[in-house]
Each structure stands twice: as structure tokens, then as C-alpha cells.
Amino acid sequence: RVGWVTRREKSTMADDLFSIKNEFYLGNYMGAINEAQSGDLELSSANDERDRDVIIYRSYIALGQFDVVQDEVKEDAQTALQAVKLLATFKSKSDMKDMVLMTLKEWLTDATTGNNPVLQTVAGMIYLELGDLEEAAKVLHSGTTLEMVSLQVQVYLRMSRVDVAEKSLSLMSRMEDDATLTQLTTAWVSMALGGEKVQEAFYIFQELADKYNETPVLLNGMAACKMHMGQFDDAEKYLLKALAAAASDPQTLQNLVICSQHTRKAPEVANRYLNTLTRSTPSCSVVKRRSEAEDMFDKLLSSYKPSVA
């Protein structure tokens, strides 16, 4: 088993926001919000206060509570917070996608805002979600924060360039080897490498769950490993736990759709998960592919003309 999870976390000494960031990256978004708003939290600088607010608002976005961000972040807020507000708009208002992309381009090319790491991170997330991998790689290229390099890894994995992803992962290890985000990213790369590495990835997720808590992020990680190994019944157990914790989590629902097909569940079971996913996250790739397939079928059906005897 991988033993490095038990090392002393160096970040705890250097980062007042370590615990809050940890909760966020592990997917315990309400925990991150509660801890960030705790009266016990003492921050040493205005930058820390801004970073705390960024985590709070990103957590609300992850929970689907976009209005909180849009109502509270004012027009004169700092660039980092404006970027997070832009992400909330992108996630919640599909008809404003073009405006979001235009604003992103404008801010990224502006000398006063273009190098802001939160803006670059948000841009990378948006381009990645849209499947514009070249733009995502370009905007994340500087890799000035651990999260930006982690996003680089995700981009390269989507490009099927595991070799380049491994190089970015090596950079993360040099930046902060013990960080939870580095460990999570190591697990993603291990899954992509396949073979025995998939079991190593499972152990990473499992040890993080033992050390902290079983969050949907970690449960989905363990489930994905089991699916890679063809153990779909075991995968389903982890996914049902994740579903109980967050009933509309898109990653859980997507994995359950796949899992229910491999475990030969009745068709209505997969359809139930798919319908929930369509209602909660209509922009996700699985829903889009389903919609495209249905449109194609309808076109073929309408063009079919039965022959007259």
C-alpha cells in the first residue's frame, strides 16, 4: 500500500487556509464553507481573506447555489472574486455562455488582470468543460499554483497524453509532495496508466477516505478504480454511498448509469439516473451525447419513407 499519506502535512505550518482548501479539494463543500466562516479561523493577511472568500464562493458553486455568488460578489470586487462570479454565471446561465467567453478573453488579455491565478484557473475550468483543450492548456501553461498544474494534468489526460500529464504531476510533487491535491492527481494519472497502477490509485483514494471522510469525490474515485478493474458490483456499493451523500452529484450519476448497464440492471434503473442527471446538470457530456443521439434518431426517422406496395 501507498504509505506517504501518513507523512506530516508540511502545508499546515505554512498555510492558514490548509484545512479549508483540503475540505474543498476532497469535495466536502459544506464543510469548507462552515470552517471558513468559523469564528476560530484567524487569518494573517488581506490576501488570505480574499482566498478564503474564493473558496467559500467556489464551494457554493459546487453545491449548485449560484445565486449566493451572483448576489454577494459586487462589481467592484477584486479580480479573483469577479472570476468566480463569472464561473457561477457560466454554470447557471447557458444563454450567457458567449458573454462569459468574451469577458474571459478580455480579462485574460488585460495587463492588469491577465496574470491573476484565480482567473487563469477559472478560465482553464471553463475551457476544459467546453472541451476546448488547446485553450485550456494555453491558459494554464504558466502553472503558478498547485491547482493550475493539477488542471494541466486533467487537460493532458483528456488529450490522451499521459506522458505529458506525468511531467506536470512531477512538477506538483516538487511544489508540494504531501498536498491532498497532489495525491488526488497522482490517483487520476495512475488510473490512466492502467494495469497495477489502478490498484495503487484505489489505495490513494481509500487512505484519504480513512484519514479524512468518505466524500463523493473519494467514493467516486474508488468506484472508478473498481470499474477499471471490471468489479462493477463493488463499484456500485461506493456509488450508492456517494448518492446518499449528494443525490444530484453529476459524477456519481454518470458512473451509476455506466455501472447499472454492466451489472445488468433493468433499463429503467439506468434511465432513472439519466433523467435525474438531465434535470440537475443538463450541460454534462453524457446528457449532451444522449440528446445528440436522440436528435439524430429523430432525423433518420423523419426521413424514412415506407415503400408503397
Side-chain angles (χ1 to χ4, degrees):
R1 291 173 63 109
V2 182
W4 38 254
V5 173
T6 58
R7 295 177 190 171
R8 182 167 58 91
E9 302 271 10
K10 291 179 287 187
S11 302
T12 54
M13 298 177 65
D15 189 347
D16 294 333
L17 295 171
F18 166 77
S19 182
I20 299 167
K21 289 179 179 178
N22 219 46
E23 295 285 11
F24 176 77
Y25 291 131
L26 289 168
N28 184 12
Y29 304 116
M30 204 65 238
I33 292 168
N34 291 339
E35 196 161 334
Q37 296 178 153
S38 167
D40 297 331
L41 181 67
E42 295 181 7
L43 300 177
S44 56
S45 71
N47 285 343
D48 281 347
E49 290 177 2
R50 177 206 60 212
D51 291 346
R52 173 204 60 199
D53 291 345
V54 166
I55 296 167
I56 288 173
Y57 289 130
R58 286 185 63 187
S59 295
Y60 276 118
I61 289 172
L63 292 169
Q65 297 181 35
F66 309 109
D67 289 347
V68 174
V69 186
Q70 290 163 338
D71 291 343
E72 293 187 10
V73 178
K74 306 305 179 187
E75 294 303 318
D76 60 349
Q78 296 178 60
T79 299
L81 295 172
Q82 290 287 358
V84 174
K85 185 176 183 177
L86 198 64
L87 178 64
T89 302
F90 172 78
K91 292 276 192 182
S92 62
K93 299 178 179 178
S94 58
D95 59 326
M96 296 185 71
K97 184 180 75 174
D98 290 342
M99 182 279 290
V100 168
L101 293 175
M102 192 183 307
T103 305
L104 263 187
K105 189 169 289 187
E106 181 184 323
W107 289 356
L108 287 168
T109 54
D110 188 315
T112 60
T113 57
N115 291 325
N116 185 282
V118 176
L119 174 61
Q120 292 172 331
T121 298
V122 164
M125 292 168 63
I126 288 174
Y127 288 133
L128 184 60
E129 186 166 328
L130 291 172
D132 192 343
L133 303 182
E134 286 188 15
E135 280 300 317
K138 190 188 301 180
V139 79
L140 295 166
H141 181 69
S142 63
T144 55
T145 69
L146 199 67
E147 185 174 12
M148 284 176 69
V149 184
S150 177
L151 281 169
Q152 280 181 16
V153 171
Q154 293 182 49
V155 171
Y156 295 137
L157 291 178
R158 285 272 296 274
M159 289 177 169
S160 300
R161 290 300 307 273
V162 186
D163 55 327
V164 186
E166 284 186 286
K167 291 177 183 177
S168 291
L169 179 59
S170 295
L171 175 58
M172 289 185 74
S173 296
R174 292 195 298 274
M175 291 169 74
E176 205 170 339
D177 186 42
D178 289 334
T180 294
L181 189 56
T182 304
Q183 297 171 25
L184 287 168
T185 310
T186 300
W188 301 334
V189 172
S190 295
M191 272 199 287
L193 288 168
E196 294 179 0
K197 289 287 185 180
V198 177
Q199 187 66 57
E200 289 182 22
F202 177 82
Y203 288 146
I204 293 171
F205 291 123
Q206 188 177 57
E207 290 190 22
L208 285 169
D210 290 344
K211 185 176 181 182
Y212 300 106
N213 280 310
E214 287 186 337
T215 65
V217 167
L218 296 176
L219 289 164
N220 270 279
M222 289 187 278
C225 291
K226 291 295 184 182
M227 289 162 72
H228 271 278
M229 293 186 281
Q231 299 170 16
F232 290 97
D233 288 328
D234 289 340
E236 186 182 43
K237 292 173 186 175
Y238 290 114
L239 293 172
L240 291 176
K241 275 189 182 183
L243 191 68
S248 58
D249 178 67
Q251 193 61 57
T252 303
L253 290 165
Q254 287 180 69
N255 284 332
L256 276 167
V257 169
I258 297 166
C259 220
S260 60
Q261 292 168 343
H262 283 275
T263 51
R264 297 185 179 182
K265 292 282 191 300
E268 56 265 26
V269 175
N271 285 334
R272 195 176 303 132
Y273 295 135
L274 201 49
N275 290 335
T276 305
L277 186 60
T278 303
R279 287 192 300 272
S280 63
T281 319
S283 62
C284 91
S285 57
V286 170
V287 173
K288 283 181 178 176
R289 286 198 297 271
R290 181 198 195 189
S291 179
E292 287 167 3
E294 288 176 345
D295 288 346
M296 190 177 294
F297 179 77
D298 288 342
K299 285 178 183 176
L300 286 170
L301 200 62
S302 63
S303 65
Y304 172 70
K305 297 178 180 179
S307 58
V308 179

